[in-house]
């Protein structure tokens, strides 16, 4: 796949708190391995890396600001990066500092979005990126999510949620959904 020389890797919420049992069953046990492969490739190519951290304001959240769970996972925290965005909502485009402005100031038009949770912050960031005119790529195997309960006790499994996200993003024209191998040769 052809990538812009300055394509930015946006790493969403790869935080310690997502290892907490409160989240329940997850999918894609290779997500972190694929994220690390992409980080290594981006570093080697001197492409920009943006880290995003969710600073939850929900009482008792494993991602609460100032808690151990709020910290980025060590393999992410150790990587050289150009920007750290903090947020307390789903989209990295509603974080601090202003991600869209930062990307535009640097002439970055292509973003690759990875991280946690596939159907929450990854999908929301990818949708907004597409709406804002960025060329968005989501390597779906570099994301993971958890089973989720909705209205009337309906439960969707993490794999089903990830497939729905892939269809929403790709079929809806928000992003190109690919596999990590397509971006890392």
């Amino acid at each position: 796949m052809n990538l812009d020389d300055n394509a930015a890797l946006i790493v969403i919420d790869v935080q310690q708190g997502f290892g907490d049992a409160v989240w329940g069953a997850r999918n894609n046990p290779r997500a972190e391995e694929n994220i690390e492969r992409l980080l290594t490739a981006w570093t080697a190519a001197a492409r920009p890396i943006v880290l995003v951290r969710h600073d939850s304001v929900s009482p008792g959240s494993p991602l609460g600001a100032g808690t151990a769970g709020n910290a980025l996972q060590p393999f992410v925290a150790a990587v050289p990066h150009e920007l750290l965005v903090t947020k307390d909502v789903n989209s990295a485009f509603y974080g601090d500092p202003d991600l869209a402005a930062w990307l535009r100031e640097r002439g970055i038009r292509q973003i690759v979005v990875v991280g946690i949770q596939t159907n929450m912050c990854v999908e929301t960031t990818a949708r907004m990126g597409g709406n804002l005119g960025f060329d968005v790529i989501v390597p779906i195997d570099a994301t993971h999510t958890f089973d989720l309960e909705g209205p009337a006790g309906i439960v969707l499994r993490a794999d089903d949620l990830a497939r729905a996200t892939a269809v929403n993003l790709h079929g809806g024209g928000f992003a190109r959904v690919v596999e990590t191998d397509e971006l890392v040769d």
Side-chain angles (χ1 to χ4, degrees):
M1 171 173 285
N2 290 331
L3 289 172
D4 293 349
D5 289 340
N6 69 344
L9 180 64
I10 314 291
V11 183
I12 307 284
D13 303 347
V14 182
Q15 295 170 249
Q16 301 280 12
F18 278 117
D20 193 294
V22 70
W23 301 103
R26 72 170 266 189
N27 73 330
N28 193 12
R30 294 192 61 207
E32 288 84 357
E33 175 186 330
N34 288 325
I35 293 166
E36 191 164 16
R37 288 175 60 212
L38 288 161
L39 286 167
T40 299
W42 251 251
T43 300
R47 286 189 172 109
I49 297 171
V50 175
L51 305 181
V52 180
R53 186 185 70 220
H54 191 88
D55 292 347
S56 179
V57 294
S58 298
S61 170
L63 305 175
T67 68
N70 183 255
L72 296 171
Q73 291 184 26
F75 79 94
V76 172
V79 75
H81 57 279
E82 285 68 30
L83 182 67
L84 172 66
V85 174
T86 59
K87 63 180 183 59
D88 61 11
V89 295
N90 299 104
S91 177
F93 287 102
Y94 283 123
D96 184 39
D98 184 322
L99 177 58
W102 186 88
L103 293 166
R104 288 187 177 124
E105 286 167 4
R106 284 151 186 80
I108 297 169
R109 62 176 241 7
Q110 190 175 62
I111 60 174
V112 176
V113 182
V114 302
I116 307 170
Q117 294 176 255
T118 310
N119 58 311
M120 299 285 183
C121 297
V122 171
E123 182 172 356
T124 304
T125 299
R127 282 177 179 250
M128 283 196 67
N131 285 165
L132 290 168
F134 293 99
D135 176 17
V136 182
I137 301 167
V138 177
I140 199 74
D141 62 341
T143 74
H144 80 76
T145 194
F146 304 91
D147 293 355
L148 188 63
E149 184 174 341
I154 297 168
V155 175
L156 291 179
R157 300 289 170 226
D159 281 337
D160 295 329
L161 292 166
R163 278 193 296 277
T165 291
V167 170
N168 287 338
L169 292 176
H170 197 87
F174 296 102
R176 285 179 284 159
V177 177
V178 300
E179 298 288 321
T180 298
D181 286 345
E182 295 176 62
L183 300 175
V184 178
D185 296 323

